[in-house]
Amino acid sequence: MILEALQYAATVSVTGTEFRSHVRSSVSLWSRANRCTKAWASHEDNCKAFVREAISGMKQKRTAVVLGSGLLRDVPIADLSRAFDTVVLVDLVHLATVRAWLAAKGLRNVRLISRDLSGFEEARAGRTPEPLAFLRQVPYLDLVVSANILSQIGVGCQRQLEREGHAAPGPILKTLAQAHLDGLRQQPCKTVLLTDIRYAVTDRSGTVIDDGDLLFGAKSPAAKKQWFWPVAPFGELNRDSQAIHEVIAV
Ligand SMILES: C[S@@+](CC[C@H](N)C(=O)[O-])C[C@H]1O[C@@H](n2cnc3c(N)ncnc32)[C@H](O)[C@@H]1O
């Protein structure tokens, strides 16, 4: 609790006003990730290995952008920093501990940008969202990694729509997921998509209590690799159920 309060206070002080309302959920993610270190390890290793493999054959390595860089747990940031001239990390919030870690490691070619990558405002206004259009302005872009952000865009926007009493958020959430997928597909450079696509909550006997589509009906591209991520192992949601997510790497 004390560490969370310190993390919160230190992060708020370095986060622009527009993004401060998101600090709490980043701190919660940080706490959960610390509690679930063992359960998440193989998912994080798989993600990092996939990115390392993707960049190993690249001839030009000028600028890399990581979307949803968050806690840098599933991103091989040291390898990216070594391989590329510039690495740009984009997220709503960059925690104080993440900033301190980057400084301590001396990764001087890493830049941090706070940005809402959802396209929510355009979609809500009935316009076609283009949440990744800003990438056109990034000079010498050779790699874009979408690092386990896609499902979280939907989760965040679903909460917002429910708070506003929106009766049927499904179509907007599907539009947002599709806009992210289309935006990645349209990049003229190499892209990596790491995302969970489905969840299942099971009890101790393995019976599925609840399951669902994390992309709200948007069609995910064919996976090159696929695995399961115990996002909430037994004891995290409650004693007798666990949530397992299916992850694809493209
Ligand atoms: C599951 S975490 C990704 C973990 C991260 N790749 C890592 O290595 O620790 C999802 C991330 O997406 C970010 N995120 C969620 N919605 C976002 C949005 N609309 N715009 C930008 N970032 C968002 C969250 O802040 C969080 O850091």
Side-chain angles (χ1 to χ4, degrees), residues 17-47:
T17 332
E18 195 189 334
F19 298 100
R20 285 191 187 156
S21 60
H22 301 289
V23 173
R24 195 171 297 282
S25 82
S26 287
V27 174
S28 300
L29 175 67
W30 173 72
S31 302
R32 176 182 264 200
N34 287 339
R35 287 193 302 273
C36 301
T37 296
K38 218 166 124 198
W40 290 12
S42 117
H43 160 70
E44 290 167 358
D45 288 347
N46 288 343
C47 291

mmCIF file of all heavy atoms in Angstrom, residues 17-47:
data_model
loop_
_atom_site.group_PDB
_atom_site.id
_atom_site.type_symbol
_atom_site.label_atom_id
_atom_site.label_comp_id
_atom_site.label_asym_id
_atom_site.label_seq_id
_atom_site.Cartn_x
_atom_site.Cartn_y
_atom_site.Cartn_z
ATOM 1 N N THR A 17 -1.513 16.843 -16.982
ATOM 2 C CA THR A 17 -2.871 16.877 -16.391
ATOM 3 C C THR A 17 -3.846 15.977 -17.146
ATOM 4 O O THR A 17 -4.630 15.255 -16.546
ATOM 5 C CB THR A 17 -3.426 18.323 -16.460
ATOM 6 O OG1 THR A 17 -2.331 19.227 -16.431
ATOM 7 C CG2 THR A 17 -4.389 18.610 -15.354
ATOM 8 N N GLU A 18 -3.742 16.013 -18.474
ATOM 9 C CA GLU A 18 -4.665 15.267 -19.330
ATOM 10 C C GLU A 18 -4.637 13.763 -19.054
ATOM 11 O O GLU A 18 -5.613 13.052 -19.280
ATOM 12 C CB GLU A 18 -4.186 15.527 -20.776
ATOM 13 C CG GLU A 18 -5.141 15.181 -21.853
ATOM 14 C CD GLU A 18 -4.432 15.288 -23.213
ATOM 15 O OE1 GLU A 18 -3.456 16.060 -23.340
ATOM 16 O OE2 GLU A 18 -4.862 14.588 -24.121
ATOM 17 N N PHE A 19 -3.490 13.267 -18.557
ATOM 18 C CA PHE A 19 -3.327 11.816 -18.401
ATOM 19 C C PHE A 19 -3.352 11.357 -16.946
ATOM 20 O O PHE A 19 -3.233 10.166 -16.677
ATOM 21 C CB PHE A 19 -2.014 11.369 -19.084
ATOM 22 C CG PHE A 19 -2.016 11.644 -20.552
ATOM 23 C CD1 PHE A 19 -1.372 12.755 -21.067
ATOM 24 C CD2 PHE A 19 -2.721 10.818 -21.426
ATOM 25 C CE1 PHE A 19 -1.404 13.033 -22.430
ATOM 26 C CE2 PHE A 19 -2.762 11.085 -22.781
ATOM 27 C CZ PHE A 19 -2.101 12.199 -23.284
ATOM 28 N N ARG A 20 -3.504 12.317 -16.022
ATOM 29 C CA ARG A 20 -3.400 11.953 -14.600
ATOM 30 C C ARG A 20 -4.488 10.982 -14.149
ATOM 31 O O ARG A 20 -4.274 10.192 -13.246
ATOM 32 C CB ARG A 20 -3.418 13.215 -13.737
ATOM 33 C CG ARG A 20 -2.105 13.919 -13.822
ATOM 34 C CD ARG A 20 -1.950 15.013 -12.816
ATOM 35 N NE ARG A 20 -0.705 15.709 -13.120
ATOM 36 C CZ ARG A 20 -0.437 16.941 -12.782
ATOM 37 N NH1 ARG A 20 -1.323 17.644 -12.097
ATOM 38 N NH2 ARG A 20 0.728 17.493 -13.100
ATOM 39 N N SER A 21 -5.663 11.056 -14.811
ATOM 40 C CA SER A 21 -6.752 10.163 -14.384
ATOM 41 C C SER A 21 -6.417 8.690 -14.684
ATOM 42 O O SER A 21 -7.087 7.787 -14.191
ATOM 43 C CB SER A 21 -8.060 10.551 -15.077
ATOM 44 O OG SER A 21 -7.889 10.447 -16.467
ATOM 45 N N HIS A 22 -5.389 8.446 -15.488
ATOM 46 C CA HIS A 22 -5.029 7.062 -15.834
ATOM 47 C C HIS A 22 -3.932 6.499 -14.929
ATOM 48 O O HIS A 22 -3.592 5.325 -15.032
ATOM 49 C CB HIS A 22 -4.556 6.984 -17.292
ATOM 50 C CG HIS A 22 -5.582 7.456 -18.276
ATOM 51 N ND1 HIS A 22 -6.727 6.739 -18.551
ATOM 52 C CD2 HIS A 22 -5.649 8.579 -19.031
ATOM 53 C CE1 HIS A 22 -7.451 7.406 -19.438
ATOM 54 N NE2 HIS A 22 -6.815 8.518 -19.736
ATOM 55 N N VAL A 23 -3.379 7.352 -14.062
ATOM 56 C CA VAL A 23 -2.242 6.892 -13.245
ATOM 57 C C VAL A 23 -2.672 5.753 -12.321
ATOM 58 O O VAL A 23 -1.967 4.750 -12.159
ATOM 59 C CB VAL A 23 -1.622 8.067 -12.443
ATOM 60 C CG1 VAL A 23 -0.569 7.560 -11.465
ATOM 61 C CG2 VAL A 23 -1.019 9.097 -13.397
ATOM 62 N N ARG A 24 -3.865 5.896 -11.735
ATOM 63 C CA ARG A 24 -4.321 4.870 -10.787
ATOM 64 C C ARG A 24 -4.335 3.479 -11.442
ATOM 65 O O ARG A 24 -3.876 2.507 -10.858
ATOM 66 C CB ARG A 24 -5.718 5.222 -10.261
ATOM 67 C CG ARG A 24 -6.144 4.449 -9.039
ATOM 68 C CD ARG A 24 -7.429 5.016 -8.457
ATOM 69 N NE ARG A 24 -7.284 6.391 -7.997
ATOM 70 C CZ ARG A 24 -6.711 6.750 -6.852
ATOM 71 N NH1 ARG A 24 -6.251 5.823 -6.044
ATOM 72 N NH2 ARG A 24 -6.615 8.021 -6.516
ATOM 73 N N SER A 25 -4.846 3.398 -12.678
ATOM 74 C CA SER A 25 -4.933 2.058 -13.280
ATOM 75 C C SER A 25 -3.542 1.539 -13.666
ATOM 76 O O SER A 25 -3.286 0.340 -13.622
ATOM 77 C CB SER A 25 -5.941 2.023 -14.428
ATOM 78 O OG SER A 25 -5.377 2.500 -15.585
ATOM 79 N N SER A 26 -2.607 2.442 -13.991
ATOM 80 C CA SER A 26 -1.232 1.976 -14.256
ATOM 81 C C SER A 26 -0.583 1.449 -12.979
ATOM 82 O O SER A 26 0.146 0.454 -13.019
ATOM 83 C CB SER A 26 -0.376 3.115 -14.812
ATOM 84 O OG SER A 26 -0.753 3.387 -16.123
ATOM 85 N N VAL A 27 -0.878 2.118 -11.864
ATOM 86 C CA VAL A 27 -0.307 1.653 -10.592
ATOM 87 C C VAL A 27 -0.925 0.296 -10.216
ATOM 88 O O VAL A 27 -0.230 -0.608 -9.738
ATOM 89 C CB VAL A 27 -0.517 2.707 -9.464
ATOM 90 C CG1 VAL A 27 -0.056 2.165 -8.114
ATOM 91 C CG2 VAL A 27 0.223 3.995 -9.802
ATOM 92 N N SER A 28 -2.229 0.133 -10.482
ATOM 93 C CA SER A 28 -2.874 -1.166 -10.194
ATOM 94 C C SER A 28 -2.254 -2.269 -11.043
ATOM 95 O O SER A 28 -2.015 -3.382 -10.566
ATOM 96 C CB SER A 28 -4.358 -1.148 -10.538
ATOM 97 O OG SER A 28 -4.991 -0.198 -9.814
ATOM 98 N N LEU A 29 -1.994 -1.946 -12.314
ATOM 99 C CA LEU A 29 -1.368 -2.936 -13.207
ATOM 100 C C LEU A 29 0.015 -3.323 -12.660
ATOM 101 O O LEU A 29 0.386 -4.496 -12.641
ATOM 102 C CB LEU A 29 -1.237 -2.345 -14.617
ATOM 103 C CG LEU A 29 -0.490 -3.194 -15.644
ATOM 104 C CD1 LEU A 29 -1.269 -4.466 -15.967
ATOM 105 C CD2 LEU A 29 -0.218 -2.401 -16.926
ATOM 106 N N TRP A 30 0.741 -2.329 -12.183
ATOM 107 C CA TRP A 30 2.084 -2.557 -11.634
ATOM 108 C C TRP A 30 1.999 -3.489 -10.409
ATOM 109 O O TRP A 30 2.766 -4.436 -10.288
ATOM 110 C CB TRP A 30 2.670 -1.186 -11.269
ATOM 111 C CG TRP A 30 3.968 -1.172 -10.549
ATOM 112 C CD1 TRP A 30 5.190 -1.468 -11.071
ATOM 113 C CD2 TRP A 30 4.183 -0.805 -9.184
ATOM 114 N NE1 TRP A 30 6.152 -1.300 -10.104
ATOM 115 C CE2 TRP A 30 5.568 -0.896 -8.948
ATOM 116 C CE3 TRP A 30 3.341 -0.390 -8.138
ATOM 117 C CZ2 TRP A 30 6.138 -0.605 -7.707
ATOM 118 C CZ3 TRP A 30 3.905 -0.091 -6.908
ATOM 119 C CH2 TRP A 30 5.278 -0.209 -6.702
ATOM 120 N N SER A 31 1.023 -3.229 -9.538
ATOM 121 C CA SER A 31 0.866 -4.075 -8.335
ATOM 122 C C SER A 31 0.508 -5.501 -8.741
ATOM 123 O O SER A 31 1.049 -6.467 -8.219
ATOM 124 C CB SER A 31 -0.268 -3.576 -7.440
ATOM 125 O OG SER A 31 -0.018 -2.287 -7.063
ATOM 126 N N ARG A 32 -0.432 -5.609 -9.686
ATOM 127 C CA ARG A 32 -0.867 -6.939 -10.101
ATOM 128 C C ARG A 32 0.296 -7.690 -10.750
ATOM 129 O O ARG A 32 0.518 -8.869 -10.482
ATOM 130 C CB ARG A 32 -2.036 -6.837 -11.071
ATOM 131 C CG ARG A 32 -2.460 -8.192 -11.593
ATOM 132 C CD ARG A 32 -3.576 -8.108 -12.591
ATOM 133 N NE ARG A 32 -4.850 -8.329 -11.957
ATOM 134 C CZ ARG A 32 -5.949 -8.684 -12.604
ATOM 135 N NH1 ARG A 32 -5.933 -8.829 -13.899
ATOM 136 N NH2 ARG A 32 -7.060 -8.887 -11.966
ATOM 137 N N ALA A 33 1.045 -6.980 -11.588
ATOM 138 C CA ALA A 33 2.184 -7.622 -12.263
ATOM 139 C C ALA A 33 3.202 -8.108 -11.229
ATOM 140 O O ALA A 33 3.779 -9.196 -11.388
ATOM 141 C CB ALA A 33 2.824 -6.646 -13.242
ATOM 142 N N ASN A 34 3.403 -7.343 -10.175
ATOM 143 C CA ASN A 34 4.344 -7.775 -9.120
ATOM 144 C C ASN A 34 3.820 -9.014 -8.391
ATOM 145 O O ASN A 34 4.567 -9.933 -8.106
ATOM 146 C CB ASN A 34 4.585 -6.640 -8.109
ATOM 147 C CG ASN A 34 5.456 -5.552 -8.711
ATOM 148 O OD1 ASN A 34 6.178 -5.791 -9.683
ATOM 149 N ND2 ASN A 34 5.380 -4.353 -8.161
ATOM 150 N N ARG A 35 2.498 -9.038 -8.146
ATOM 151 C CA ARG A 35 1.922 -10.204 -7.464
ATOM 152 C C ARG A 35 1.968 -11.445 -8.354
ATOM 153 O O ARG A 35 2.086 -12.566 -7.861
ATOM 154 C CB ARG A 35 0.452 -9.939 -7.088
ATOM 155 C CG ARG A 35 0.235 -8.983 -5.949
ATOM 156 C CD ARG A 35 -1.216 -9.055 -5.467
ATOM 157 N NE ARG A 35 -2.191 -8.771 -6.508
ATOM 158 C CZ ARG A 35 -2.620 -7.554 -6.830
ATOM 159 N NH1 ARG A 35 -2.149 -6.498 -6.208
ATOM 160 N NH2 ARG A 35 -3.520 -7.380 -7.781
ATOM 161 N N CYS A 36 1.864 -11.231 -9.668
ATOM 162 C CA CYS A 36 1.725 -12.362 -10.604
ATOM 163 C C CYS A 36 3.026 -12.658 -11.359
ATOM 164 O O CYS A 36 2.972 -13.284 -12.432
ATOM 165 C CB CYS A 36 0.601 -12.081 -11.608
ATOM 166 S SG CYS A 36 -0.999 -11.816 -10.852
ATOM 167 N N THR A 37 4.152 -12.226 -10.824
ATOM 168 C CA THR A 37 5.426 -12.348 -11.554
ATOM 169 C C THR A 37 5.635 -13.753 -12.110
ATOM 170 O O THR A 37 5.970 -13.928 -13.286
ATOM 171 C CB THR A 37 6.600 -11.967 -10.620
ATOM 172 O OG1 THR A 37 6.438 -10.598 -10.292
ATOM 173 C CG2 THR A 37 7.936 -12.150 -11.297
ATOM 174 N N LYS A 38 5.417 -14.760 -11.243
ATOM 175 C CA LYS A 38 5.685 -16.138 -11.668
ATOM 176 C C LYS A 38 4.708 -16.585 -12.774
ATOM 177 O O LYS A 38 5.123 -17.145 -13.791
ATOM 178 C CB LYS A 38 5.552 -17.070 -10.457
ATOM 179 C CG LYS A 38 6.585 -18.167 -10.454
ATOM 180 C CD LYS A 38 6.645 -18.837 -9.119
ATOM 181 C CE LYS A 38 6.420 -20.324 -9.344
ATOM 182 N NZ LYS A 38 6.039 -21.009 -8.129
ATOM 183 N N ALA A 39 3.438 -16.274 -12.546
ATOM 184 C CA ALA A 39 2.409 -16.725 -13.503
ATOM 185 C C ALA A 39 2.560 -16.041 -14.869
ATOM 186 O O ALA A 39 2.205 -16.608 -15.897
ATOM 187 C CB ALA A 39 1.020 -16.440 -12.934
ATOM 188 N N TRP A 40 3.087 -14.814 -14.879
ATOM 189 C CA TRP A 40 3.178 -14.069 -16.134
ATOM 190 C C TRP A 40 4.508 -14.295 -16.869
ATOM 191 O O TRP A 40 4.669 -13.845 -18.020
ATOM 192 C CB TRP A 40 3.021 -12.558 -15.875
ATOM 193 C CG TRP A 40 1.633 -12.144 -15.470
ATOM 194 C CD1 TRP A 40 0.602 -12.958 -15.100
ATOM 195 C CD2 TRP A 40 1.131 -10.799 -15.377
ATOM 196 N NE1 TRP A 40 -0.508 -12.210 -14.779
ATOM 197 C CE2 TRP A 40 -0.210 -10.880 -14.941
ATOM 198 C CE3 TRP A 40 1.683 -9.552 -15.611
ATOM 199 C CZ2 TRP A 40 -1.002 -9.748 -14.746
ATOM 200 C CZ3 TRP A 40 0.902 -8.422 -15.415
ATOM 201 C CH2 TRP A 40 -0.435 -8.522 -14.987
ATOM 202 N N ALA A 41 5.464 -14.958 -16.189
ATOM 203 C CA ALA A 41 6.834 -15.011 -16.729
ATOM 204 C C ALA A 41 6.893 -15.603 -18.138
ATOM 205 O O ALA A 41 7.564 -15.058 -19.023
ATOM 206 C CB ALA A 41 7.735 -15.787 -15.778
ATOM 207 N N SER A 42 6.171 -16.706 -18.346
ATOM 208 C CA SER A 42 6.345 -17.353 -19.651
ATOM 209 C C SER A 42 5.700 -16.513 -20.768
ATOM 210 O O SER A 42 6.248 -16.418 -21.873
ATOM 211 C CB SER A 42 5.844 -18.800 -19.580
ATOM 212 O OG SER A 42 4.786 -19.010 -20.408
ATOM 213 N N HIS A 43 4.572 -15.864 -20.470
ATOM 214 C CA HIS A 43 3.960 -14.939 -21.448
ATOM 215 C C HIS A 43 4.946 -13.805 -21.796
ATOM 216 O O HIS A 43 5.149 -13.485 -22.970
ATOM 217 C CB HIS A 43 2.668 -14.362 -20.861
ATOM 218 C CG HIS A 43 2.215 -13.098 -21.504
ATOM 219 N ND1 HIS A 43 1.713 -13.056 -22.790
ATOM 220 C CD2 HIS A 43 2.215 -11.794 -21.061
ATOM 221 C CE1 HIS A 43 1.408 -11.803 -23.101
ATOM 222 N NE2 HIS A 43 1.713 -11.018 -22.082
ATOM 223 N N GLU A 44 5.552 -13.241 -20.767
ATOM 224 C CA GLU A 44 6.471 -12.109 -21.015
ATOM 225 C C GLU A 44 7.697 -12.575 -21.811
ATOM 226 O O GLU A 44 8.150 -11.887 -22.736
ATOM 227 C CB GLU A 44 6.886 -11.485 -19.678
ATOM 228 C CG GLU A 44 5.723 -10.760 -19.015
ATOM 229 C CD GLU A 44 5.970 -10.385 -17.557
ATOM 230 O OE1 GLU A 44 7.051 -10.727 -17.024
ATOM 231 O OE2 GLU A 44 5.075 -9.763 -16.959
ATOM 232 N N ASP A 45 8.199 -13.766 -21.475
ATOM 233 C CA ASP A 45 9.351 -14.308 -22.222
ATOM 234 C C ASP A 45 8.976 -14.539 -23.687
ATOM 235 O O ASP A 45 9.749 -14.236 -24.590
ATOM 236 C CB ASP A 45 9.821 -15.642 -21.613
ATOM 237 C CG ASP A 45 10.519 -15.417 -20.284
ATOM 238 O OD1 ASP A 45 10.847 -14.252 -19.971
ATOM 239 O OD2 ASP A 45 10.727 -16.402 -19.543
ATOM 240 N N ASN A 46 7.776 -15.092 -23.903
ATOM 241 C CA ASN A 46 7.322 -15.343 -25.285
ATOM 242 C C ASN A 46 7.243 -14.048 -26.086
ATOM 243 O O ASN A 46 7.637 -13.995 -27.257
ATOM 244 C CB ASN A 46 5.928 -15.989 -25.293
ATOM 245 C CG ASN A 46 5.961 -17.422 -24.838
ATOM 246 O OD1 ASN A 46 7.014 -18.046 -24.814
ATOM 247 N ND2 ASN A 46 4.810 -17.963 -24.454
ATOM 248 N N CYS A 47 6.696 -12.999 -25.453
ATOM 249 C CA CYS A 47 6.568 -11.702 -26.150
ATOM 250 C C CYS A 47 7.951 -11.175 -26.513
ATOM 251 O O CYS A 47 8.193 -10.750 -27.654
ATOM 252 C CB CYS A 47 5.871 -10.674 -25.250
ATOM 253 S SG CYS A 47 4.140 -11.028 -24.952
#
